[in-house]
Amino acid sequence: MSAETALASLQERAARVLMNTYRRLPVTFVRGQGCWLVDDGGRQYLDLVGGIAVNVLGHSAPAVRAALEQQSAQLVHVSNLYYSEPQVELAERLVRSAFPARVFFCNSGAEANEAAIKIARKWGQRHRGGAYRIVCAVGAFHGRTLATLAATGRYLDTFAPAVDGFAHVPFDDADAVAAAIDDSVVAVMLEPALGEGGIVPMGDDTLRRIRALCDQRDVLLVLDEVQSGMGRTGRWWAHQHAGVTPDVMTVAKGLGGGIPIGAALAAPRADVLEPGDHGSTFGGTPLAATVAVAVLRTIEERGLLDNAERVGARLRDGLLGLRECGLPVETVRGRGLMLAAVLGDDIAPVVVDAGLEQGVVLNATGPRVIRLVPPLTLSADEADEGVRRLATAMELALQRRGDAA
Ligand SMILES: Cc1ncc(COP(=O)(O)O)c(C=O)c1O
């Protein structure tokens, strides 16, 4: 069977049995190794998306495989009605990497944010006379559950009525946050860098001002580090660049290196949940927790925070260099290995398609934004190779646009 026939056949089967929730690119990946993916025809692709900031150690990472093998032979799952050591060790490691806190484990970013929202509401009942509103940012993305959609503030009409209690102010604007905090507000919930919103880092100074505001007005600061965390920006958590700590932090994506696991950390001030308030069947199960411990340990042992910073700088320089070749890169946003090439033309989706043909996996968050969130193991040579392939993809995209005109 030719590669085209195999793809057409799988697409047809998928259309019959999978809900139509994703726009998928025409490729079937069957294997991965490090920063490289292999399709069903044996073709290799440099993966600059990494499962959208998930595969922090790359594909088939030895540490993830070893943890899976060892723990699956011992104990895969046990209910949260009992203790299990890996969950406690994972919480200890997370707290050490972040700030004094206690941890709730779940399975995804949306769930971690649901936990954060419930924490804020319960805290509001206890400390703010039943206030419950949360100030979020325009352009944010916090998940697809009903409450996290309301926090996101988009895609709501289809699923009305929206969960009540979220206000939206411009991103990276401490004055707007100050104006929005009144007696009805219990928390400010933000991404330190917009992820789905196109890789837009918040200014360190803005974040420091918002932290101070939350203290002055006695509301919680909730930071969603689902995409920006786990070392992606060169620090464990993006907010650490600003030298502040949140009251609540949410984590998922890279935490399990590809195995689903999420977490919400609450500082003592915000640590209000009690038995019966919240729970999750699979949250922090021994298998997922063991893998996440291995991911955190490997990031530390292999110096991947430094690597993200160093190789990220090289990738950024390479992308900016494309301007000198006459390619339409207007600017590069982001930090470490959380970068976006902002184009001067509405061709990002066409570049992504052309990239696939050129053996590089890219992602567009909008018509002009190419997002790059590769494994933190990306080497300097791989970064250079990625820039070369991206350049060819851009040339192809421009040609195609010219042909279509
Ligand atoms: C910042 C942020 N928060 C939350 C989520 C939702 O995570 P999940 O898809 O694991 O529910 C995402 C996903 O892209 C995200 O980028």
Side-chain angles (χ1 to χ4, degrees):
M1 206 191 302
S2 76
E4 289 77 33
T5 320
L7 177 66
S9 155
L10 192 62
Q11 283 174 325
E12 207 179 289
R13 284 170 57 204
R16 257 185 262 125
V17 293
L18 297 181
M19 283 195 200
N20 187 26
T21 48
Y22 304 103
R23 253 178 244 111
R24 298 179 205 262
L25 293 173
V27 64
T28 309
F29 290 121
V30 292
R31 274 200 315 282
Q33 193 72 51
C35 294
W36 294 83
L37 283 166
V38 180
D39 74 11
D40 54 353
R43 211 162 157 249
Q44 298 213 11
Y45 302 75
L46 181 58
D47 182 6
L48 297 183
V49 177
I52 316 190
V54 166
N55 299 92
V56 285
L57 302 185
H59 299 281
S60 302
V64 171
R65 288 170 54 193
L68 279 170
E69 212 165 293
Q70 171 258 314
Q71 189 58 40
S72 62
Q74 203 173 316
L75 183 66
V76 170
H77 173 84
V78 70
S79 162
N80 278 311
L81 293 173
Y82 318 106
Y83 289 97
S84 89
E85 213 275 337
Q87 188 178 101
V88 177
E89 185 183 350
L90 177 57
E92 286 168 347
R93 279 183 177 270
L94 275 174
V95 168
R96 266 206 308 278
S97 74
F99 52 91
R102 291 200 299 180
V103 185
F104 171 81
F105 286 111
C106 52
N107 310 283
S108 68
E111 276 181 89
N113 286 329
E114 284 278 344
I117 292 164
K118 286 177 75 174
I119 287 169
R121 286 193 170 191
K122 182 158 186 200
W123 186 84
Q125 282 188 3
R126 279 209 182 155
H127 298 283
R128 299 283 305 234
Y132 62 88
R133 286 177 70 242
I134 298 178
V135 176
C136 300
V138 174
F141 185 81
H142 297 296
R144 300 276 189 176
T145 60
L146 282 173
T148 57
L149 261 191
T152 295
R154 286 174 282 155
Y155 321 114
L156 280 168
D157 295 348
T158 322
F159 307 104
V163 173
D164 181 29
F166 297 88
H168 290 85
V169 300
F171 181 70
D172 197 16
D173 186 340
D175 291 333
V177 171
I181 299 177
D182 59 22
D183 285 347
S184 70
V185 169
V186 287
V188 176
M189 179 170 174
L190 299 166
E191 293 162 86
L194 295 182
E196 301 305 300
I199 313 293
V200 190
M202 188 183 301
D204 289 342
D205 208 45
T206 313
L207 189 48
R208 283 190 284 267
R209 281 188 61 206
I210 292 173
R211 172 69 273 181
L213 269 169
C214 289
D215 290 337
Q216 285 155 18
R217 311 278 186 91
D218 193 25
V219 300
L220 298 180
L221 176 60
V222 178
L223 292 181
D224 176 346
E225 292 262 15
V226 167
Q227 190 157 154
S228 58
M230 289 303 292
R232 182 145 297 284
T233 67
R235 301 270 175 98
W236 274 114
W237 313 105
H239 67 260
Q240 290 172 335
H241 292 281
V244 300
T245 54
D247 300 300
V248 179
M249 175 174 84
T250 57
V251 187
K253 285 198 178 280
L255 179 58
I259 300 302
I261 180 163
L265 278 70
R269 175 185 187 216
D271 190 350
V272 291
L273 295 184
E274 294 163 303
D277 282 339
H278 201 43
S280 162
T281 294
F282 292 116
T285 205
L287 188 71
T290 300
V291 173
V293 165
V295 170
L296 290 163
R297 192 193 301 126
T298 307
I299 289 178
E300 221 163 77
E301 286 172 359
R302 290 189 54 189
L304 294 181
L305 304 185
D306 285 347
N307 194 66
E309 189 171 329
R310 211 176 37 249
V311 177
R314 189 176 180 106
L315 189 54
R316 162 193 293 276
D317 288 348
L319 294 169
L320 284 169
L322 297 181
R323 287 199 295 218
E324 272 111 72
C325 312
L327 291 168
V329 176
E330 259 186 3
T331 169
V332 177
R333 285 197 298 246
R335 251 173 177 159
L337 284 172
M338 184 179 188
L339 295 173
V342 184
L343 310 182
D345 250 309
D346 285 359
I347 54 163
V350 191
V351 174
V352 171
D353 292 346
L356 212 54
E357 293 163 29
Q358 295 305 308
V360 61
V361 181
L362 306 162
N363 173 256
T365 61
R368 291 187 170 210
V369 179
I370 307 257
R371 165 169 55 178
L372 305 169
V373 281
L376 306 183
T377 53
L378 192 77
S379 70
D381 285 349
E382 286 167 336
D384 295 348
E385 183 61 26
V387 172
R388 274 194 291 278
R389 293 185 188 207
L390 174 57
T392 314
M394 273 189 199
E395 280 160 7
L396 264 174
L398 287 170
Q399 231 171 36
R400 282 177 192 165
R401 200 202 41 188
D403 292 347

